[in-house]
Amino acid sequence: MLTLSALILALPAAALPQDRVQYTDGSFRSGKVVSATLDEVKLDSDGQESTSSASDVLTIRFGALPTSMAQAEEFLTGLEFQNAVNLFDAATAEAEPAATLAGLRKAEALLAWSELDSAQAGAAVEAFRAWIAAHADHFFLPRARTGLARATANSGQLEQAAKELEDVASLAFEKSLPATVEFQARLARCQIYLGGGQTGVAATRLQDLVPKMQRSMSSSDTPAGVRSSLRGMIAEGQVLLGDAIEVDQGM
């Protein structure tokens, strides 16, 4: 299972003065994100609007967010979960894009909390479901559905969580999203199996997944930004595979 420290480290950095978009070719552009869906991302840079296919976008970081959200992030880093959840919840009343991001961060804060207190898993599931229902075509949908799967696993529903992640991988393939989205969903599914005690299943899937990621990173057809992102994912997969084999086979 993903550790609490990993969840905290995965949280966004402090607010930037502008939104920042990272593309699969490794380049970055700053400006104001006009819209971000599973199909396209529109960015206004100094009055010049450009539209990119979502398949060419790796990450989006929103800047110029309310001070309350920065405070919420600090609370979350300090494991003060209730304070973080309260501030993120209050920030959902802010103007966009802060409102949408705050709703997602609230759910992710509850997920981090559920890693220490499984009683919070139900609240995390509800928060993710509410966000997904309201933002069914948002660029962050795979991220939210992955969070939902983790929270579902923390509530003890392992197979339902695994199915959710398989659906995320299928969505990524159907929408031609960057390969990192599908790989991340499959890696998260292995983490869930490992955390749920199904170490043999986790090991078998990781023995297939890690080489696939390695081949993708080595391929000249894989964009530079995707290759860079895959390095960390491959290292994580190798560690998980070692853990799974050690627990499953005592080696």
Side-chain angles (χ1 to χ4, degrees):
M1 184 71 67
L2 189 67
T3 64
L4 178 62
S5 59
L7 278 169
I8 298 300
L9 289 172
L11 307 185
L16 304 172
Q18 290 185 306
D19 301 336
R20 184 174 172 87
V21 179
Q22 180 185 10
Y23 299 91
T24 54
D25 64 3
S27 64
F28 293 85
R29 289 189 66 189
S30 297
K32 178 177 176 56
V33 173
V34 178
S35 63
T37 71
L38 290 173
D39 295 314
E40 62 182 25
V41 175
K42 293 183 179 181
L43 180 69
D44 186 324
S45 298
D46 298 324
Q48 298 293 319
E49 187 174 298
S50 60
T51 301
S52 303
S53 170
S55 62
D56 295 326
V57 176
L58 271 181
T59 61
I60 298 174
R61 288 189 181 275
F62 290 101
L65 296 171
T67 303
S68 61
M69 289 193 64
Q71 293 173 333
E73 298 292 355
E74 290 178 4
F75 277 130
L76 189 52
T77 301
L79 306 185
E80 296 183 50
F81 298 112
Q82 188 64 71
N83 287 333
V85 169
N86 290 343
L87 282 177
F88 282 131
D89 186 54
T92 60
E94 298 280 354
E96 295 294 350
T100 292
L101 182 59
L104 180 56
R105 297 299 293 127
K106 173 187 173 182
E108 291 174 337
L110 286 164
L111 171 61
W113 193 355
S114 74
E115 293 292 329
L116 288 180
D117 180 3
S118 60
Q120 302 300 324
V125 167
E126 291 180 6
F128 278 117
R129 285 178 175 167
W131 192 93
I132 290 167
H135 307 284
D137 193 40
H138 198 279
F139 180 81
F140 287 157
L141 182 65
R143 169 176 162 180
R145 290 184 63 179
T146 298
L148 171 61
R150 294 189 189 283
T152 300
N154 287 350
S155 70
Q157 301 176 70
L158 187 66
E159 291 306 320
Q160 184 176 336
K163 182 182 184 306
E164 179 68 28
L165 287 168
E166 183 60 32
D167 289 344
V168 173
S170 297
L171 175 66
F173 179 78
E174 292 166 7
K175 289 289 187 178
S176 299
L177 298 178
T180 49
V181 179
E182 179 179 350
F183 284 141
Q184 188 62 63
R186 297 196 183 283
L187 187 60
R189 186 175 62 169
C190 294
Q191 292 170 326
I192 283 174
Y193 279 129
L194 181 57
Q198 296 192 27
T199 53
V201 175
T204 298
R205 293 187 181 279
L206 285 163
Q207 285 167 340
D208 177 63
L209 178 61
V210 171
K212 281 184 178 178
M213 292 193 292
Q214 290 172 326
R215 287 194 295 270
S216 181
M217 190 180 73
S218 300
S219 173
S220 59
D221 294 330
T222 301
V226 175
R227 289 201 302 271
S228 179
S229 297
L230 282 173
R231 289 189 182 94
M233 294 172 62
I234 290 169
E236 184 179 3
Q238 290 171 326
V239 171
L240 287 172
L241 177 56
D243 289 343
I245 291 175
E246 181 178 20
V247 175
D248 186 51
Q249 302 178 20
M251 298 172 61

